[in-house]
Amino acid sequence: MIRSASLRFAVLYGSLFAASSLALVLFFWWATAGVLDRQVEAAIDADAQFLVERWSEGGVPALVLTVQERLAENVDDDAIYMLSDGLGRRVAGNMQRWPAVVTEAGGFYELRVVRAGAQSLAEVRQYDLPGGFRLLVGRDVRGRVELRRLLTNTLLWSVLLVAGLAGAGAFVVRRLFRRMVAEISATAEAIAGGDLTPRVRRSGRGDEFDRMAESINTMLERIARLMDGVRQVSNAIAHDLRTPITRARARLEDAAEHAGSEAELRAAIERAVADLDGVTAVFQALLRIAEIEAGARRSAFADVDLGPLLADLAELYGALAEDRGLVLSLDVPDTLSLLGDRDLIQQAVANLLDNAIKFSPSGGRIRLSGRAEGRHLRVEVADEGPGIPEADRGRAADRFFRGEQARNTPGSGLGLALVQAVAMLHDGALVLEETDPHALNKGLRAVLTLQTGQAGVPPVQAAAALAP
Amino acid sequence: MKSALPLAFLLSMPTCLSHAQEQPPIPLTSDTAQYCAQLAEAIAARHSTLPDVLHLLADGREMCDQGEVRGGLRRLRRALVILNRKKRGGAAEPGPDKSADPLPY
């Protein structure tokens, strides 16, 4: 078993090339030299058939006369005949004696003959006649043999040439394959060594290897992004949780050393518990996002009407907005059906409204709207707040991402991450954009798109129903 | 590379060639000076006046006399083919019947 794939490919290529070329050469030989053989045999058979007919018509004298005529008119000087009687004596023909090797009718024999002092080759066949007579009919095939030899020599040289070309081709294929694999192998080794930056180089020809390199590079980009995300999340967890834990510790320590009464001590403990509750809430949010991303909740999908749901949310957050001096308007049809998780969608829209209220200046307006667009539902929350700089919008939904303007507002940086996870769970997306670039009151528009699915049918069954 | 040539020769030979190599070659009697002379006599006996026939007959005889038997025979055979074609075509060609002057063999 060959353990080198490149060598296997090379051998396979060489073998296929040699086999196909050999088949071509054999066919060419059959179509040239083979045709010559068959032509001679056909001429001998036709000649013999005519002579046998003459025998049937006029007996020995007619056959002898025909043989004589044939020999006399044989301008090509290649005819060979012999008629012998029951005792083996020559009756007619141009052979001095009956060849000893020709013993039975049916097969073709090749003989050496002497013609005008020069040796030659002849192909003959015996035909048995009544009365013990035997007829030998043949042709001088020296010219044909020479031609066949020439053809065979040429074809054999061709075979050698083909073998050389197959070997050279196999060598080139092997080198090409090794070069391609070496590039991928070197990249993989570098990544295995801890360096995620190398990428497989593309030749620019757009061939299969280029497409494979592109796929590998896309995969590596994805892995690098995920690794980066994990690193960022780890850092963010360490950073964001250290502050409340440290604060809780400091309060407890301060209370233990300086509390003058039981009431002060109890108050310090309650504040520390509140800080630790915040930490727990962050962990719960992280776990919830992870659960949503795992898709486990998809099995709990049911028919949801977003019309009343959004109206309830508008009513709930409308009061909160009013307290902050904001106006929350609603533009939603009575019915917006989809197949999904009601609680998660409610949580996602609530997060968007919470952000809008949190970042809108007093007197600002917030607009909650929803509508159906083909197979999707589009829920928009637009505000007149500072918005998110374009450079940050791509990362705004990452876990723990906090923009510059959000540094001084309460929050964990997990709200939009959860919204995005809910959107992905419903085969949708979260898009953050400027409300209107030309308007006086610029703000942020968060667009949550959710796939409607097929109401009343679980997603798996719905997918099966749509399949052709 | 020259070793391929004998291999090619062997490949080009049919299996019964081995028989041919074991037996001494058999002489053919239709390429002899004697046959040439007999064929020339048979053609001359038909007293053709066709210029082509006369020309080929003279050339054939001369070549056979000079030892170029195969060349001479080829000319005489062409002369005979012309004569027979003329006869089969029905043209009146003076001369005795071919059966009166039989062909050799």
Side-chain angles (χ1 to χ4, degrees):
Chain A
M1 192 68 185
I2 304 171
R3 294 183 68 85
S4 164
S6 63
L7 191 59
R8 272 203 306 276
F9 271 101
V11 168
L12 185 67
Y13 168 82
S15 303
L16 281 176
F17 184 80
S20 52
S21 302
L22 192 63
L24 191 67
V25 163
L26 285 174
F27 172 76
F28 186 68
W29 195 91
W30 177 83
T32 51
V35 164
L36 293 175
D37 288 343
R38 290 191 292 278
Q39 278 179 347
V40 169
E41 289 169 7
I44 290 173
D45 278 339
D47 207 2
Q49 193 177 355
F50 180 76
L51 292 172
V52 170
E53 282 173 11
R54 293 303 307 270
W55 164 278
S56 304
E57 291 165 6
V60 174
L63 181 57
V64 169
L65 186 62
T66 306
V67 167
Q68 287 173 347
E69 283 175 355
R70 295 245 155 167
L71 284 173
E73 293 182 17
N74 182 217
V75 178
D76 292 337
D77 198 20
D78 62 349
I80 293 170
Y81 300 102
M82 183 167 176
L83 178 65
S84 70
D85 61 14
L87 299 173
R89 292 174 302 196
R90 186 164 75 103
V91 178
N94 60 345
M95 290 199 81
Q96 201 175 60
R97 62 175 187 276
W98 189 271
V101 293
V102 182
T103 52
E104 54 189 41
F108 285 92
Y109 295 85
E110 206 156 282
L111 305 172
R112 281 193 302 158
V113 294
V114 178
R115 184 184 284 276
Q119 277 206 26
S120 187
L121 283 168
E123 188 166 348
V124 299
R125 192 173 196 181
Q126 175 184 325
Y127 300 87
D128 291 335
L129 299 174
F133 283 90
R134 289 186 300 169
L135 176 65
L136 190 85
V137 181
R139 288 288 183 276
D140 188 321
V141 292
R142 185 175 183 80
R144 188 205 70 190
V145 168
E146 288 296 330
L147 182 59
R148 188 171 63 178
R149 188 180 303 164
L150 188 68
L151 276 170
T152 311
N153 280 346
T154 306
L155 293 179
L156 273 177
W157 282 112
S158 303
V159 167
L160 291 176
L161 190 65
V162 161
L165 286 173
F171 179 72
V172 170
V173 165
R174 187 183 182 201
R175 281 199 63 184
L176 196 66
F177 184 82
R178 289 182 75 168
R179 202 170 60 190
M180 294 296 180
V181 173
E183 179 71 30
I184 296 169
S185 179
T187 306
E189 280 174 16
I191 288 166
D195 182 5
L196 286 174
T197 54
R199 296 290 179 266
V200 181
R201 204 168 46 233
R202 295 176 53 188
S203 67
R205 287 190 290 270
D207 55 12
E208 290 84 349
F209 283 105
D210 266 9
R211 287 198 287 277
M212 184 171 71
E214 200 172 326
S215 300
I216 291 171
N217 288 344
T218 305
M219 181 186 73
L220 292 174
E221 293 288 347
R222 172 87 174 138
I223 290 171
R225 271 202 308 276
L226 288 173
M227 294 289 288
D228 201 36
V230 168
R231 194 161 37 243
Q232 280 181 8
V233 167
S234 304
N235 292 340
I237 289 173
H239 181 267
D240 284 26
L241 299 188
R242 190 180 61 182
T243 306
I245 291 171
T246 306
R247 197 163 53 220
R249 183 186 179 283
R251 278 175 179 157
L252 290 172
E253 191 178 40
D254 184 58
E257 290 178 0
H258 302 106
S261 63
E262 186 183 338
E264 282 181 14
L265 192 61
R266 189 176 294 280
I269 290 171
E270 282 173 359
R271 283 198 297 276
V273 168
D275 285 337
L276 293 174
D277 281 348
V279 174
T280 308
V282 168
F283 276 114
Q284 280 175 341
L286 279 172
L287 286 171
R288 192 168 174 80
I289 292 169
E291 183 192 24
I292 294 167
E293 285 180 344
R297 294 183 66 104
R298 207 182 283 266
S299 58
F301 274 16
D303 290 342
V304 181
D305 189 349
L306 282 194
L309 187 146
L310 294 178
D312 289 348
L313 282 170
E315 190 180 341
L316 181 67
Y317 280 86
L320 186 62
E322 204 176 320
D323 290 348
R324 300 272 185 97
L326 303 169
V327 177
L328 175 60
S329 64
L330 177 70
D331 179 14
V332 176
D334 291 339
T335 303
L336 275 177
S337 295
L338 90 161
L339 193 68
D341 189 311
R342 180 189 175 85
D343 292 343
L344 289 179
I345 295 170
Q346 190 172 21
Q347 177 71 62
V349 178
N351 283 5
L352 294 177
L353 287 171
D354 193 50
N355 277 351
I357 291 169
K358 204 186 300 177
F359 293 105
S360 290
S362 181
R365 288 171 300 174
I366 297 169
R367 186 167 177 268
L368 171 63
S369 61
R371 64 176 183 273
E373 277 188 354
R375 297 178 61 225
H376 288 85
L377 295 187
R378 184 183 170 97
V379 179
E380 290 182 12
V381 177
D383 62 37
E384 293 178 349
I388 299 174
E390 194 172 350
D392 288 345
R393 274 182 218 152
R395 298 183 297 141
D398 289 353
R399 290 174 181 81
F400 298 107
F401 177 79
R402 306 272 286 161
E404 281 301 319
Q405 293 170 340
R407 293 283 177 207
N408 300 320
T409 55
S412 61
L414 293 171
L416 288 179
L418 186 137
V419 176
Q420 173 145 292
V422 172
M424 301 290 277
L425 181 71
H426 290 81
D427 295 324
L430 170 66
V431 177
L432 302 173
E433 57 192 19
E434 242 179 303
T435 48
D436 184 357
H438 305 293
L440 283 174
N441 298 322
K442 293 181 185 175
L444 182 74
R445 182 193 291 131
V447 182
L448 174 63
T449 313
L450 306 167
Q451 197 175 51
T452 55
Q454 190 174 340
V457 182
V460 176
Q461 289 180 22
L466 290 171
Chain B
M1 294 293 256
K2 285 196 170 186
S3 59
L5 295 177
L7 177 65
F9 179 76
L10 286 174
L11 283 174
S12 65
M13 292 291 109
T15 50
C16 54
L17 185 62
S18 55
H19 294 291
Q21 287 171 339
E22 288 164 7
Q23 299 293 323
I26 300 170
L28 296 180
T29 54
S30 56
D31 287 305
T32 59
Q34 185 189 0
Y35 183 79
C36 190
Q38 288 173 358
L39 195 58
E41 286 305 313
I43 295 167
R46 291 168 72 165
H47 299 295
S48 173
T49 56
L50 292 170
D52 285 349
V53 172
L54 294 175
H55 180 69
L56 287 166
L57 177 60
D59 275 1
R61 267 183 171 154
E62 188 180 345
M63 288 181 80
C64 285
D65 290 344
Q66 289 172 355
E68 296 176 35
V69 177
R70 296 188 74 174
L73 277 170
R74 193 171 296 120
R75 280 160 179 74
L76 293 175
R77 280 168 170 151
R78 276 190 202 150
L80 192 62
V81 167
I82 292 170
L83 276 173
N84 290 343
R85 196 176 294 154
K86 207 79 178 172
K87 186 182 173 186
R88 287 178 197 126
E93 176 66 19
D97 193 319
K98 198 166 70 174
S99 60
D101 205 357
L103 291 165
Y105 307 118

